[in-house]
Amino acid sequence: MSTKTLSLCTLLLFACGALFPIGCTVSSEEDPAPEAEVSAPDENTDSEVFTDEVPADDETSVSNQEELAKVLDEAETALANEAETEEAADAEVADSTEIPDTSHLHLKWIHDANVDGPETYEHHHEYLAKSKNKARLVLTNNGQTALPTKGWALYFRIGPFMYLDEEAFAQDNDTVKASFTGIQGRYKIEPTDGFKPLKADESLTIPIVGMRQIMLNSDPPVGFYLVSIDEDGNEALVGDIAIEYGPIKGFTPSPEPIGARADAKSRYARHSQYNGESEPQVALPAPRNVDLDDSKKIDLAQLAAVESSDDLKFESDALTTLLDKHRQANESDEAATVSLTIDPELAKEQYKLTVNDEGVSLSGGSAAGVFYGIQTIDQLLDRFGDHLPYLTIDDQPQFSYRGLMVDICRHYFGPETLKKVIDQMAHYKMNILQLRLNEDEAWRIEIPSLPELTDIGSKRGHVTHDADGKVVQLPVVLNDGGTGPSGYLTRDDYIDLLKYAKARHIEVIPEIAVPGHARSAIQALLDKPGYLMIDPEDKSEHLSPQGFDDNILNPAMEGVYPFLEEVFTAVNEMHDAAGVPLAHVHIGGDEAPEEAWTLSPAIAAMGYENVDPKVDPEKSVAVHRKIRDDFSQKLYEIIDNTSSGTVHVGSWHENAPFVTARMADGKAYITEWDFDGDATYARLKTGQPTVLCNPRTSYFDMAYENNPTERGHFWSGFTDTKDVYEYRPLALTDKPLPQKERDLILGIQSQLWTETINTPEMLEWYMLPRLLPFAERAWNPDVSDEDVADQWPAFAAFVGNYALPRLEREGVHFRIPKPGAIEEDGKLKAIVPYPGLEIRYTTDGSEPVVESPLYDPQDPPAYDAKIKLRAFTPEGRGSSTVPVEE
């Protein structure tokens, strides 16, 4: 109901009340206002007595009619004045171009439904691509400044691998329009001529149809921010807009589901197979050979100072600090010895540990072996406290490459976060950290001779050009608002990080991704003379899997090669300055579209034929690959010429065809992320050294499970901690792997891609506890299905009793697994996968908190469909809430 209508009603009611106190009814074609509460009259107040009698004489009736006419005339005059005032106010608002402060704007996203895809399809990606989701955005103005009819736009991003149905949007929205901005997943909403100012306390509902079903809480639209637009069309960031998300409706199962939706019952079935009620394994990773007698123990107070050679000073200091932390008394007069030695008879990473009445003796094939032995002692102290049991351990890894790749480009993670990652890797005896330092989205390492790479390429935001039209920062493309994820490692940061990792026997492998995934470098140097790296006349049509059509270096452009020389010279110099000679470098080489360069005049000028892939796709691919191979050989020459020593070049499997000659020289390897074990085996048979990076078990950016409370990708499936533990790296085929091919597997590597990870806590949550079983499998990969089933309870017992409490003490934000539950004989039966976690519950549908009743398996409550559960750590951190009925 409008303000004008309300005013008229008020005046008429006044007239009726004054002239006809018997009663008055005002009718309207508009929806009636809600009935107001009527207060009972005060019994102690004198009041007029009303009757239903009609006045008897005509004079009274005429008098009343004249009075009514007078009142109505006054009401009409008052209403006209009010209407004029309101129209003037509306006109003022309509003409206003003032943009409200975004702190007073609020968005709520409401998911209405998922819509099925086709009944038949070849792959679940096709099914998802043809399915849809329906939702609403509700924009509310909580301030006093109206959102005007023009001069603004609302930017946001649809979640990973999702798109807005622009045609459906246009049909459902009369007052706003939406358009794809040409940048990965980013959309823009603007007012149309039908938009009316959004005034104080008003809301605007915008229906949205998205391509692909919403499954996880990282799928809805994100990164909302408002810009102002001047008369010349120039846009300026106003600010980010807060958003509230409603619950996600259930995923509609496809004929071939990606995976059944996880719920309380399915988790119970999964957890109850391996419930952790077992003696914990000795350490993590489990030592290969152990002889332990915990009936005999040595008091740490009896141990003398650590004895070691000068080349083990870091290890000696680390062990001294560790022992001092656990000593409960002063050193005794008859102190037992503690010795650290290097034994050249042992393998490089092998260690032997002995604890007996003579003291503690630890020897290693190198300082790394000694360091790994100290990590085992550290874990033994977590378990046994200040009295170590007598034991002998002879241990070494089966894989020499035990890696983790961290992408600091999609979102930036600085030195402190990376050092926490290194600490966790070191404690669990991992030895390779591959750092992705550049991406389409950002450049993250300082190259002093090319300051534009970080001055421009490391910054994300809405404003993209300066007054002269030159690029000043790159546009936001991920989950953030208008400010974006900015930052980079300075030269000093990187050198310090190299030293920190080296002390913990972890090699940092820098990854400089080329020729694809290079958009940030291309754009940062676009206006720098001599560094143009794309052909402005190129008519080739290509799109990367992430939606970019301008992210691949063109080998015909002369700016490419000085860029590469500057970058690899600087990287090598930083390694030399850190005292960590560059031994490995990774060049990416992945996801470079084969349609690129095919219609580039610059390529034709180099002597390569331009071939339209639409006319002759086979020949076009052949030409592209020839160009790519020639480019690769130039790249390897640059790496060798800018390096102080021999450098082994790693690249993803897409680059395998272009590295054959270097592999023949023993200076290259492949990081294999293919799903198909047969394809990996076929590559091994060609003699290519390989690091396995199977997405199904090694990509930690995948969601833990199929449930709307989770976040992450799921294009390779869902990966929980148990999935990682069950990974059998050497089981590539149904038959045992021949020794020749087995020797070519250098190791395994897990990946942390960060499209959906934008805080340090979130990075830790994605990584842990999945890193624990991965470290186990990197150290002990040669297992059977029977081994996995037999050994999981001891592993789970160690994780629950010692690893998770340690992470809690260290302030690591690991993911707490959700409990499972079923009904049994009318009672609630609940379980968690690891001992040490407790379950809290409610029976009234509210969210469990740390003060909620504690689930006692010996005295379980009656089963009720309204029960909700959460798992809690001893420190009070809780998992997501689990309804027993979903």
Side-chain angles (χ1 to χ4, degrees):
M1 184 178 288
S2 69
T3 306
K4 294 178 183 178
T5 305
L6 287 171
S7 299
L8 176 59
C9 289
T10 302
L11 289 167
L12 289 176
L13 284 169
F14 169 75
C16 290
L19 300 175
F20 302 104
I22 295 172
C24 179
T25 300
V26 180
S27 65
S28 171
E29 294 183 359
E30 296 188 49
D31 293 335
E35 292 182 0
E37 293 184 3
V38 179
S39 300
D42 191 333
E43 295 180 357
N44 298 321
T45 304
D46 293 333
S47 60
E48 183 179 357
V49 177
F50 296 104
T51 70
D52 289 334
E53 295 179 0
V54 178
D57 59 79
D58 291 340
E59 289 184 7
T60 304
S61 181
V62 170
S63 175
N64 283 344
Q65 290 174 8
E66 290 175 349
E67 186 67 23
L68 174 61
K70 180 180 178 181
V71 170
L72 288 175
D73 186 53
E74 291 174 353
E76 186 176 350
T77 301
L79 183 60
N81 292 336
E82 183 179 340
E84 185 177 342
T85 300
E86 186 171 339
E87 287 174 2
D90 284 345
E92 184 178 349
V93 170
D95 292 339
S96 173
T97 58
E98 182 181 359
I99 306 298
D101 186 334
T102 54
S103 64
H104 299 302
L105 298 176
H106 180 268
L107 279 166
K108 182 170 184 179
W109 177 84
I110 302 170
H111 187 214
D112 291 321
N114 280 322
V115 183
D116 269 333
E119 293 184 2
T120 59
Y121 63 99
E122 295 181 359
H123 193 273
H124 69 255
H125 288 302
E126 178 188 347
Y127 173 83
L128 288 173
K130 294 181 179 178
S131 66
K132 294 186 179 182
N133 70 84
K134 294 184 177 180
R136 286 167 287 151
L137 278 174
V138 180
L139 176 62
T140 301
N141 188 351
N142 295 321
Q144 296 303 309
T145 303
L147 187 65
T149 58
K150 59 183 178 180
W152 60 270
L154 180 66
Y155 282 84
F156 66 99
R157 180 176 183 260
I158 300 289
F161 307 116
M162 303 187 73
Y163 304 92
L164 182 70
D165 188 333
E166 294 182 54
E167 182 177 344
F169 188 97
Q171 293 173 355
D172 292 343
N173 297 273
D174 297 329
T175 61
V176 292
K177 59 183 178 180
S179 58
F180 179 57
T181 65
I183 300 172
Q184 181 199 14
R186 185 67 59 177
Y187 288 87
K188 176 182 183 180
I189 290 179
E190 300 174 274
T192 66
D193 292 340
F195 185 83
K196 296 185 182 302
L198 188 66
K199 294 183 285 189
D201 299 323
E202 290 185 343
S203 294
L204 171 69
T205 298
I206 305 171
I208 288 182
V209 176
M211 308 299 291
R212 210 203 79 179
Q213 296 192 16
I214 296 283
M215 290 182 61
L216 308 172
N217 70 10
S218 51
D219 288 345
V222 290
F224 288 84
Y225 65 93
L226 189 71
V227 301
S228 62
I229 307 174
D230 66 19
E231 294 180 354
D232 296 325
N234 299 312
E235 297 183 352
L237 176 67
V238 177
D240 296 347
I241 301 180
I243 184 167
E244 173 188 356
Y245 293 98
I248 296 171
K249 304 292 185 181
F251 171 65
T252 304
S254 61
E256 182 187 319
I258 297 172
R261 177 166 170 166
D263 57 17
K265 295 179 179 63
S266 67
R267 287 187 206 99
Y268 185 90
R270 188 165 179 77
H271 298 340
S272 62
Q273 297 175 34
Y274 311 100
N275 58 24
E277 295 176 0
S278 172
E279 183 72 13
Q281 63 189 48
V282 171
L284 199 168
R288 303 276 292 279
N289 300 288
V290 181
D291 183 7
L292 185 148
D293 180 4
D294 60 3
S295 66
K296 299 179 180 179
K297 296 180 180 179
I298 188 169
D299 188 341
L300 298 192
Q302 297 176 338
L303 297 179
V306 177
E307 299 177 357
S308 70
S309 55
D310 290 341
D311 53 357
L312 291 174
K313 185 179 186 311
F314 179 84
E315 289 71 26
S316 176
D317 290 346
L319 182 57
T320 298
T321 301
L322 180 62
L323 294 175
D324 286 346
K325 185 172 66 174
H326 287 269
R327 293 181 202 267
Q328 299 298 316
N330 293 327
E331 192 176 299
S332 68
D333 293 335
E334 297 181 1
T337 62
V338 182
S339 65
L340 304 180
T341 58
I342 292 179
D343 182 352
E345 298 297 319
L346 300 179
K348 180 180 178 182
E349 294 186 298
Q350 184 179 1
Y351 70 91
K352 288 186 176 181
L353 172 64
T354 301
V355 178
N356 55 30
D357 54 4
E358 296 181 1
V360 177
S361 173
L362 173 60
S363 60
S366 66
V370 173
F371 181 81
Y372 298 145
I374 292 172
Q375 304 316 303
T376 297
I377 293 174
D378 195 353
Q379 295 178 14
L380 290 168
L381 292 172
D382 280 346
R383 181 171 178 180
F384 295 103
D386 57 356
H387 287 73
L388 281 177
Y390 283 22
L391 57 77
T392 58
I393 293 177
D394 186 354
D395 192 22
Q396 63 178 313
Q398 287 180 276
F399 279 154
S400 61
Y401 188 115
R402 305 178 299 282
L404 171 68
M405 188 284 301
V406 178
D407 161 22
I408 65 170
C409 303
R410 269 59 180 267
H411 288 94
Y412 176 64
F413 299 95
E416 294 309 310
T417 298
L418 293 175
K419 286 179 179 180
K420 287 185 71 174
V421 170
I422 289 171
D423 288 342
Q424 295 305 320
M425 293 177 64
H427 186 63
Y428 296 107
K429 306 182 178 78
M430 296 179 68
N431 65 349
I432 299 290
L433 174 60
Q434 180 176 317
L435 274 186
R436 181 96 158 184
L437 296 172
N438 74 294
E439 253 299 349
D440 296 323
E441 292 83 359
W443 184 278
R444 301 297 191 191
I445 187 168
E446 180 184 15
I447 306 297
S449 62
L450 295 175
E452 296 86 353
L453 288 173
T454 45
D455 288 349
I456 299 172
S458 73
K459 298 175 183 177
R460 315 296 316 192
H462 185 73
V463 180
T464 57
H465 300 86
D466 63 15
D468 298 325
K470 293 184 178 181
V471 174
V472 294
Q473 66 183 10
L474 303 182
V476 174
V477 293
L478 291 173
N479 303 330
D480 308 81
T483 51
S486 300
Y488 62 93
L489 295 174
T490 67
R491 179 182 181 275
D492 289 342
D493 288 338
Y494 187 68
I495 291 172
D496 179 64
L497 198 68
L498 291 174
K499 293 178 179 179
Y500 190 88
K502 179 187 177 183
R504 290 151 183 82
H505 302 282
I506 291 175
E507 179 185 357
V508 175
I509 297 179
E511 180 179 359
I512 304 296
V514 291
H517 288 282
R519 188 176 191 272
S520 60
I522 292 169
Q523 293 295 315
L525 299 175
L526 200 60
D527 297 317
K528 187 177 180 67
Y531 286 89
L532 183 63
M533 296 188 285
I534 54 173
D535 180 2
E537 305 301 320
D538 190 356
K539 304 301 181 186
S540 306
E541 295 181 4
H542 55 86
L543 201 65
S544 75
Q546 291 75 28
F548 295 104
D549 61 2
D550 57 354
N551 72 333
I552 183 169
L553 303 178
N554 188 317
M557 305 305 294
E558 293 184 357
V560 168
Y561 302 101
F563 158 73
L564 293 173
E565 288 173 359
E566 297 281 358
V567 169
F568 285 106
T569 296
V571 169
N572 181 77
E573 191 275 333
M574 283 184 268
H575 276 257
D576 284 348
V580 185
L582 186 65
H584 295 84
V585 68
H586 202 283
I587 59 166
D590 57 318
E591 298 182 328
E594 291 191 326
E595 297 83 6
W597 315 323
T598 53
L599 298 176
S600 164
I603 285 289
M606 285 185 73
Y608 299 104
E609 184 178 357
N610 277 176
V611 181
D612 189 340
K614 296 178 181 178
V615 176
D616 191 341
E618 186 174 337
K619 185 175 182 180
S620 172
V621 168
V623 172
H624 172 93
R625 291 185 177 180
K626 171 60 177 170
I627 299 168
R628 177 78 180 269
D629 190 48
D630 291 346
F631 166 77
S632 297
Q633 304 320 308
K634 291 181 180 178
L635 172 61
Y636 303 144
E637 289 178 11
I638 288 173
I639 291 172
D640 289 338
N641 292 338
T642 57
S643 299
S644 304
T646 300
V647 175
H648 295 78
V649 176
S651 49
W652 301 103
H653 74 242
E654 295 96 320
N655 196 60
F658 316 113
V659 75
T660 305
R662 192 172 187 90
M663 282 187 171
D665 294 338
K667 295 190 296 183
Y669 65 97
I670 294 296
T671 41
E672 175 61 76
W673 67 274
D674 202 335
F675 291 96
D676 191 346
D678 289 334
T680 302
Y681 178 52
R683 285 198 181 89
L684 290 171
K685 289 181 72 67
T686 67
Q688 296 182 346
T690 299
V691 175
L692 303 178
C693 308
N694 190 316
R696 296 197 191 282
T697 52
S698 306
Y699 273 46
F700 292 170
D701 55 321
M702 297 298 119
Y704 278 88
E705 64 176 21
N706 182 1
N707 188 278
T709 60
E710 296 293 331
R711 59 179 296 116
H713 294 309
F714 60 90
W715 55 263
S716 69
F718 298 89
T719 305
D720 69 9
T721 305
K722 179 171 168 284
D723 289 319
V724 181
Y725 187 83
E726 292 174 337
Y727 178 34
R728 297 175 56 213
L730 300 176
L732 295 176
T733 67
D734 295 335
K735 299 178 181 179
L737 200 61
Q739 191 63 45
K740 180 181 178 182
E741 283 72 32
R742 180 170 172 160
D743 291 343
L744 289 169
I745 299 177
L746 306 177
I748 60 176
Q749 180 170 280
S750 51
Q751 279 63 235
L752 260 176
W753 301 102
T754 59
E755 289 101 329
T756 62
I757 305 173
N758 55 13
T759 67
E761 293 79 14
M762 200 179 290
L763 184 135
E764 294 168 5
W765 185 92
Y766 274 76
M767 180 175 69
L768 291 157
R770 286 187 284 203
L771 188 69
L772 307 181
F774 191 85
E776 180 70 44
R777 210 47 71 223
W779 193 269
N780 295 306
D782 194 3
V783 291
S784 65
D785 289 337
E786 292 76 14
D787 292 333
V788 169
D790 291 342
Q791 296 167 8
W792 170 269
F795 172 83
F798 185 92
V799 170
N801 286 308
Y802 307 114
L804 296 187
R806 181 188 183 96
L807 292 174
E808 186 108 61
R809 292 194 304 271
E810 294 173 343
V812 177
H813 192 83
F814 60 92
R815 178 184 181 268
I816 301 165
K818 302 169 188 171
I822 59 170
E823 178 183 5
E824 187 175 273
D825 299 327
K827 297 287 189 178
L828 176 71
K829 193 169 185 179
I831 194 172
V832 285
Y834 307 117
L837 298 174
E838 59 186 25
I839 301 173
R840 301 275 174 175
Y841 69 94
T842 59
T843 57
D844 59 0
S846 62
E847 302 296 306
V849 295
V850 73
E851 293 83 13
S852 298
L854 176 66
Y855 173 77
D856 181 357
Q858 304 305 316
D859 185 23
Y863 186 88
D864 188 305
K866 292 188 296 184
I867 288 178
K868 290 184 177 180
L869 310 168
R870 288 178 74 191
F872 284 89
T873 68
E875 297 296 320
R877 281 188 57 235
S879 70
S880 296
T881 297
V882 174
V884 295
E885 299 289 345
E886 291 190 65

